[in-house]
Amino acid sequence: MTIRTILVDDESLAVQGLALRLEKFADIEIIETCSNGREAIRAIKTLKPDLVFLDIQMPGFDGFSVVKGVMEIEPPLFVFVTAYQEHAIRAFEANAVNYLMKPVDEDKLADTVERVRQRLAEKRSTEEAEKLKDVLAEVSPESLEDLTSGEDDLTSRYEKMINVKDKGQIFRVDVDTIEHIEAAGDYMVIYTGDNSLILRETMKDLERRLDPKVFQRVHRSTIVNLDLVRQVKPHTNGECFLVLESGAEVKVSRSYRDVVARFVH
């Protein structure tokens, strides 16, 4: 799968440097470079790339203006490139795959390319599923009903209640009330806003029991209920804090910051 890519930066040396670093990724094909926001909008609308590496600080149209300027078409994936840490939250709000600090670190670039691959694979799988549904709706409505009911069954397989044995008692916990879960050695601590319970279970096993559309890992030792997030607060080094309904704050590490982009708009 070739990833058709546009590079946008008003500094020619920055474009050349990024292009050089991207050469080691065989699936990245640079189809255009742009030196300002207007060129970028025109190129994106004309060439319809899969991915755009976009500088934020540019004269005239900045990177965020470029994103707004292509919203009437199906936009590509964006990776923001910036020298300014304070743009991190706005990058999340623009639903960027990632943002890279200048000078671009090669390991972080490799991590970003892998995220892009995953996003594109998910996007194409969704598109193929929708095409299949359209075909089934025309030629076999009964099959479409079976397919839809199958999706409902998949959702219902996740736990609604979890039994927790703590301090000699068994508590029935409604998963909708769980704000976040933290690993503590061989145990998991479940926080429900006004209470905490200890469960002897691995994080991996517990993740399998919870709906991934609602419960996402935001740190290697923390799972958060995204429905109970009330605020995002920026922090240093590309990290941020999620403020939950109870007022508790949970750190999102750099490795999991794409989770924030799924629900911050």
Side-chain angles (χ1 to χ4, degrees):
M1 179 182 72
T2 300
I3 303 173
R4 301 171 68 252
T5 303
I6 291 177
L7 308 184
V8 184
D9 199 309
D10 62 321
E11 299 177 6
S12 59
L13 288 177
V15 171
Q16 293 170 21
L18 182 55
L20 188 63
R21 287 176 171 82
L22 288 169
E23 284 182 356
K24 70 176 183 179
F25 304 102
D27 50 350
I28 297 287
E29 178 189 359
I30 299 174
I31 60 174
E32 183 66 281
T33 62
C34 304
S35 60
N36 60 64
R38 292 185 185 278
E39 286 182 9
I41 292 172
R42 186 162 51 247
I44 292 169
K45 289 182 176 180
T46 303
L47 300 175
K48 296 180 172 57
D50 301 306
L51 172 65
V52 177
F53 283 90
L54 183 59
D55 184 24
I56 293 180
Q57 293 290 110
M58 294 184 293
F61 279 28
D62 65 9
F64 297 113
S65 298
V66 172
V67 174
K68 293 177 183 177
V70 298
M71 281 298 103
E72 71 269 20
I73 65 169
E74 183 177 352
L77 298 179
F78 288 101
V79 173
F80 285 116
V81 184
T82 178
Y84 302 94
Q85 181 67 43
E86 61 266 24
H87 292 306
I89 293 301
R90 288 191 68 193
F92 285 135
E93 291 171 347
N95 204 23
V97 175
N98 207 348
Y99 76 98
L100 299 171
M101 297 293 294
K102 294 181 179 179
V104 175
D105 178 84
E106 293 196 6
D107 289 339
K108 291 182 175 63
L109 181 61
D111 176 64
T112 296
V113 171
E114 184 56 35
R115 293 185 192 192
V116 168
R117 290 169 180 150
Q118 292 173 3
R119 286 275 195 101
L120 288 175
E122 291 170 3
K123 178 181 176 183
R124 286 166 183 169
S125 295
T126 300
E127 289 173 350
E128 290 302 316
E130 291 303 318
K131 288 178 184 177
L132 175 60
K133 288 180 182 179
D134 290 342
V135 172
L136 287 175
E138 291 182 11
V139 302
S140 180
E142 299 83 2
S143 297
L144 178 61
E145 290 178 6
D146 292 342
L147 181 64
T148 304
S149 65
E151 291 175 347
D152 293 338
D153 291 342
L154 185 62
T155 301
S156 65
R157 75 182 176 86
Y158 297 112
E159 302 278 2
K160 299 297 182 184
M161 303 289 293
I162 292 179
N163 293 333
V164 180
K165 186 176 181 180
D166 190 13
K167 300 175 183 176
Q169 301 181 61
I170 296 178
F171 298 88
R172 297 267 293 160
V173 180
D174 184 339
V175 297
D176 290 338
T177 67
I178 297 174
E179 277 197 340
H180 70 290
I181 303 164
E182 293 184 0
D186 295 332
Y187 297 87
M188 304 298 295
V189 183
I190 297 175
Y191 294 90
T192 59
D194 59 350
N195 195 16
S196 62
L197 297 168
I198 296 176
L199 175 67
R200 188 177 179 86
E201 187 168 345
T202 66
M203 179 168 281
K204 185 175 292 186
D205 288 340
L206 187 55
E207 276 185 305
R208 294 194 188 103
R209 299 168 62 187
L210 300 172
D211 187 348
K213 292 180 180 178
V214 179
F215 290 91
Q216 283 284 322
R217 197 182 292 211
V218 295
H219 190 277
R220 60 190 178 90
S221 60
T222 309
I223 297 172
V224 164
N225 182 342
L226 299 184
D227 287 344
L228 298 182
V229 174
R230 296 295 174 259
Q231 185 183 354
V232 179
K233 295 171 63 176
H235 191 51
T236 58
N237 301 321
E239 298 175 332
C240 67
F241 283 93
L242 302 181
V243 181
L244 307 180
E245 191 171 70
S246 68
E249 296 186 5
V250 176
K251 181 185 284 188
V252 180
S253 69
R254 288 176 62 89
S255 301
Y256 294 94
R257 62 190 174 193
D258 57 319
V259 172
V260 179
R262 300 183 189 185
F263 65 95
V264 178
H265 297 290

